[in-house]
Amino acid sequence: MKKIFYLLLIVPMIGMAQLKSIPKKITIPKPKITLPKVIPTTSGLTNPIDISAGLKEALNNGITKEVSKLTAVDGFLKNEAVKIIMPAELQKVESTLRKLGMGNLADQGITAMNRAAEDAVKEATPIFVSAIKNMNITDAKSILLGNENAATVYLQGTTNKDLYAKFSPVVQQSIGKVGADVIWSTLISKYNNIPFVTKVNPDITDYVTNKSMEGVFKMIAVEEKNIRTDLKSRTSPLLQSVFGLLDRK
């Protein structure tokens, strides 16, 4: 009987001792969570409408800036990147005339071509604006993530035919307005009258039209590259937002 009594007394005491040995606060280690690396895309950072609007703003800015430069007096003539020189078939003409002391006539011919180009490019803006308005969201995404001249290539593809149709009559008219038709007629006539030379009669209107278009696209490509790579060229919050996507690529 005494043994049972002692047993009942000892068991609670042992239990109390075990409880005291358990730490008051149990620290459970937190699992380490590794988040997946986020790769920037056009989704989530800005919506498709913003991308389209940003590209349209960039193109409008670039066109306004570069077309203004090219349509100014000497916009072509004094810009070595786009200056129109004698066509290949007339370079021998130019060289021969200069050797014969008629370099001034050759200079007048070059000036006349560039004046005609400066006149023609004034017709470019409305055609470009129309192409930009018709740009869809898919075009915008492709252009944004494309090469550094992707927007320029897009404009070439969508405006080439219309630009030629607009430029050509202006060039022809301008050649007459600045007296280039007389200059060219005199230049070609003088050359063709030189003994033993191969007679030439190039289509100057076609040549100047194509060179005018080439010059416009070349300068727009320069502006596009600036906006893509130079932060200072992103002159609005929209441009900074849209083209900032390229900085995270």
Side-chain angles (χ1 to χ4, degrees):
M1 190 71 181
K2 286 182 179 179
K3 288 181 181 179
I4 294 170
F5 174 77
Y6 286 127
L7 257 165
L8 290 172
L9 187 64
I10 290 169
V11 168
M13 291 176 65
I14 292 170
M16 289 294 291
Q18 287 175 338
L19 284 172
K20 285 181 180 179
S21 66
I22 297 172
K24 291 182 180 179
K25 185 177 180 181
I26 298 173
T27 304
I28 300 172
K30 293 181 180 179
K32 188 177 180 181
I33 300 172
T34 304
L35 294 173
K37 186 178 180 181
V38 178
I39 300 172
T41 64
T42 56
S43 60
L45 295 171
T46 188
N47 63 53
I49 296 174
D50 286 340
I51 292 173
S52 181
L55 276 169
K56 288 178 180 181
E57 181 180 327
L59 283 170
N60 278 318
N61 289 351
I63 288 164
T64 301
K65 181 178 177 181
E66 297 305 331
V67 168
S68 296
K69 286 181 183 178
L70 292 173
T71 55
V73 176
D74 294 332
F76 271 82
L77 187 63
K78 295 294 177 66
N79 183 343
E80 291 301 321
V82 296
K83 180 180 178 180
I84 301 174
I85 61 173
M86 291 284 187
E89 63 268 34
L90 284 185
Q91 285 174 11
K92 187 177 179 181
V93 175
E94 179 184 3
S95 175
T96 303
L97 290 174
R98 292 189 187 283
K99 285 176 183 177
L100 296 174
M102 290 183 277
N104 185 54
L105 190 59
D107 290 335
Q108 288 177 28
I110 291 171
T111 299
M113 287 191 297
N114 284 277
R115 291 286 180 262
E118 290 158 13
D119 267 355
V121 170
K122 293 172 185 174
E123 301 293 323
T125 301
I127 295 172
F128 285 142
V129 168
S130 175
I132 292 167
K133 281 181 180 176
N134 291 329
M135 182 191 295
N136 60 41
I137 293 170
T138 303
D139 291 331
K141 282 186 175 182
S142 298
I143 291 167
L144 180 66
L145 300 176
N147 296 328
E148 64 181 21
N149 67 336
T152 306
V153 171
Y154 168 82
L155 283 178
Q156 281 180 300
T158 54
T159 64
N160 233 33
K161 189 175 178 181
D162 290 338
L163 281 178
Y164 189 94
K166 278 284 187 182
F167 277 25
S168 184
V170 175
V171 167
Q172 191 168 26
Q173 183 181 3
S174 182
I175 285 173
K177 184 176 73 177
V178 299
D181 52 346
V182 176
I183 293 169
W184 276 105
S185 177
T186 304
L187 188 153
I188 298 302
S189 176
K190 289 277 186 185
Y191 178 79
N192 285 341
N193 286 331
I194 298 171
F196 310 115
V197 300
T198 302
K199 304 294 186 283
V200 294
N201 187 26
D203 185 344
I204 295 303
T205 298
D206 178 70
Y207 175 72
V208 174
T209 298
N210 281 307
K211 284 295 179 183
S212 301
M213 292 164 58
E214 184 182 305
V216 172
F217 289 125
K218 185 176 286 187
M219 297 313 297
I220 289 174
V222 169
E223 189 62 21
E224 179 183 358
K225 184 177 179 181
N226 285 341
I227 293 174
R228 286 179 180 272
T229 59
D230 184 1
L231 297 180
K232 292 178 184 176
S233 295
R234 301 169 191 173
T235 53
S236 75
L238 180 58
L239 291 180
Q240 290 161 11
S241 170
V242 171
F243 285 92
L245 294 172
L246 301 177
D247 303 331
R248 303 182 188 118
K249 283 176 70 177

